[in-house]
Amino acid sequence: MFIEFKEVKFHYTKYEESLDIKDLAFSSSGITAIVGHTGSGKSTLVQHLNALLVCQSGQVTVNEFIIKKKKRIDLYKLRKTVGLVFQFAENQLFKETVETDILFGPKNFKIPIEQHEEIVVNSLKAVGLDLSYRTMSPFEMSGGEKRRAAIAGILAYSPSIIVFDEPTVGLDPSGIDLIIDLIKQLHNTGHKIIVVTHDMDFLLQISDEVLVLNKGLVSFLGDTLQLF
């Protein structure tokens, strides 16, 4: 796994620089956490990893993919490689039932239909939802349940890099423990995990490496315990 930002600049308006990263390389193993104040560029940065956003200058490299302005890439393959769990589950869930939402990725990535039943069962189990949820509308679920369903939809096609944007928001302590166990399990099975969080207690429990952003600039990248 290889992720690198080189001379990356991105801005939402011409008056405000949202990202200005000279040289940044993530560790190829371990769990990386990204922290910083509101508006520091955390979500903006991770959305560059699967080309939801493309930098105005510079380039982002993810494995064999080079993402930069006016360069064509295979978005199908990139987004099968990098799965992004949004900060707000409502931005990710859109199908009539949890099951059809979970299967959206596998169908688009042409995973054989014979595997779909196993995918739904395993994805729900991984996030702590029983099988009764498969026929439920995502819009009738609690905030914490929606977040779990959104994560299940990403796990369904097993990307090698999984990005969690504020995964503990809206969860009670038992829900947070489940997310910690899930992230550690995914890491142990070979996934690269990147977590955006404001929860320093959670960060301390799960991360090996921490990136601190301040107004779109890198102010720290290193070992978690060194940061603390």
Side-chain angles (χ1 to χ4, degrees), residues 42-57:
K42 303 185 299 296
S43 294
T44 300
L45 185 146
V46 296
Q47 288 179 41
H48 279 74
L49 297 178
N50 66 354
L52 285 175
L53 296 175
V54 176
C55 51
Q56 275 100 6
S57 62

Side-chain angles (χ1 to χ4, degrees), residues 71-212:
K71 178 177 173 60
R72 297 187 67 178
I73 59 170
D74 191 333
L75 290 175
Y76 178 92
K77 289 183 178 179
L78 173 63
R79 290 173 182 170
K80 193 173 187 301
T81 300
V82 183
L84 173 58
V85 182
F86 287 95
Q87 181 175 352
F88 301 107
E90 293 82 1
N91 294 338
Q92 192 164 332
L93 302 169
F94 64 98
K95 291 290 189 178
E96 292 182 354
T97 67
V98 170
E99 178 171 0
T100 54
D101 219 301
I102 289 173
L103 289 176
F104 178 77
K107 286 179 178 178
N108 275 275
F109 294 129
K110 297 180 173 55
I111 296 175
I113 194 169
E114 296 81 12
Q115 299 178 29
H116 288 188
E117 174 68 17
E118 182 181 3
I119 286 171
V120 172
V121 172
N122 289 344
S123 298
L124 287 172
K125 182 179 179 182
V127 297
L129 295 176
D130 63 53
L131 295 183
S132 67
Y133 283 89
R134 65 192 299 171
T135 58
M136 189 180 295
S137 167
F139 308 105
E140 295 175 352
M141 301 166 71
S142 70
E145 289 169 342
K146 287 179 184 177
R147 182 167 296 278
R148 295 186 192 187
I151 294 172
I154 298 299
L155 299 183
Y157 60 92
S158 194
S160 58
I161 302 168
I162 304 179
V163 182
F164 294 87
D165 195 349
E166 299 284 6
T168 60
V169 171
L171 298 183
D172 59 19
S174 63
I176 292 173
D177 288 342
L178 185 145
I179 294 296
I180 290 171
D181 291 342
L182 174 60
I183 286 175
K184 289 181 176 179
Q185 178 185 346
L186 289 168
H187 173 247
N188 289 337
T189 53
H191 297 272
K192 171 62 182 178
I193 307 295
I194 299 172
V195 182
V196 174
T197 185
H198 69 281
D199 186 338
M200 301 301 280
D201 201 40
F202 171 68
L203 178 155
L204 186 58
Q205 293 184 68
I206 58 99
S207 69
D208 307 291
E209 174 185 62
V210 182
L211 167 65
V212 181

Side-chain angles (χ1 to χ4, degrees), residues 3-54:
I3 298 174
E4 183 183 60
F5 287 67
K6 225 35 165 166
E7 301 295 335
V8 168
K9 289 182 181 288
F10 180 85
H11 49 84
Y12 291 101
T13 72
K14 64 180 180 179
Y15 305 106
E16 182 181 8
E17 201 79 74
S18 300
L19 280 183
D20 185 0
I21 299 179
K22 302 298 182 188
D23 192 3
L24 169 65
F26 286 43
S27 68
S28 59
S29 59
I31 300 171
T32 301
I34 303 175
V35 299
H37 61 80
T38 300
S40 61
K42 303 185 299 296
S43 294
T44 300
L45 185 146
V46 296
Q47 288 179 41
H48 279 74
L49 297 178
N50 66 354
L52 285 175
L53 296 175
V54 176

